[in-house]
Amino acid sequence: MTQMKAQPNRTRIGASELEIAPLALGGNVFGWTADRDDSFAVLDAFVAGGGDFIDTADSYSHWAPGNTGGDSERIIGEWIAARGSRDRVVIATKVAHPPDFMGLGGANIRAAADASLQRLGTDRIDLYYAHHDFPEVPIEEIAEAFSSLVDAGKVRAIGISNLAADRIVGWCEYARANGLHVPVALQPHYSLVEREFETNGLRDIAEAQQLAVFPYYALARGFLAGKYRTPADATAAGASPRAEGAAQYLDARGEAVLAALDLIANARQVEVATVALAWLRLQPTVAAPIASARNMAQLPAILASMTLDLTESEVAALTDASA
């Protein structure tokens, strides 16, 4: 069968100078469902397995009891210091979410970046996202604040997540018209069971604005790993705190997607999660999916997605099952 495309060794983040392996390790679990030791083990194995792109946010994981926000960044910073690995990884983090630096005012963006740099123990953030929108803040103010961080050498490239389509276009156009640094990445909600990105205009914008796309919830909170096949699975002892979110996909469409994934996974002798991530990686504008692992057992399936190239018929079968 004809292969969709050869697996590249590296992929470029938009028009930036940043190049990565085509997988982002989600840091939302660090300090939440993964303690310090498990987080270190996952990070070690991720890099050893060929990964080099780590995605986090200043708010991770303020929702967990006893956490304050910045917990994931602190663990990543401690790991970098312990391993001397700063130059081996590309780090993305975000601003605008609670608790400490809420909003996208210019002063808040700059203060939040300094706080993230301190927690990460580094002198630069490789990719810095606006995490959520605050429509009352003029897009011009946001664009100028992010661009000033690049000028200051604190940020290498700019990304956008969870902003409305018109705000994304407005930011890019204002930045180009005024000689500012233009965003190079977009982080939307997108997976085999969440395909609104294809039809809500965001994919067209990503293509037109040359934004590299990094989908979050790429495994639909674990549903696309095949972990939750009945409502009882989501409430069983030891289930992830995210299981309730995964259970929403337990309908006829979800069952059809799992059946299609099972067929391909069995034929290829790989895990279901590997196939789901490989499908996403092959979609137009996608540079790399974001997937997290809270322990070592979950990591091999994620890493294997970087080198699994699905055939055209396999991609079509998954696309049809999830339509």
Side-chain angles (χ1 to χ4, degrees), residues 75-87:
I75 286 177
I76 293 169
E78 291 170 5
W79 173 78
I80 288 170
R83 303 295 188 260
S85 58
R86 180 61 185 96
D87 292 336

Side-chain angles (χ1 to χ4, degrees), residues 192-193 218-231 233 246-267 270-276 317-323:
L192 263 171
V193 290
L219 289 175
R221 297 178 171 90
F223 177 77
L224 293 173
K227 294 167 59 177
Y228 309 109
R229 294 176 182 267
T230 70
D233 293 336
Q248 68 182 293
Y249 302 111
L250 287 169
D251 54 20
R253 176 173 176 247
E255 291 175 1
V257 170
L258 288 179
L261 287 169
D262 286 339
L263 282 174
I264 297 169
N266 289 335
V270 297
E271 298 293 329
V272 167
T274 304
V275 179
L318 292 167
T319 301
D320 291 345
S322 66

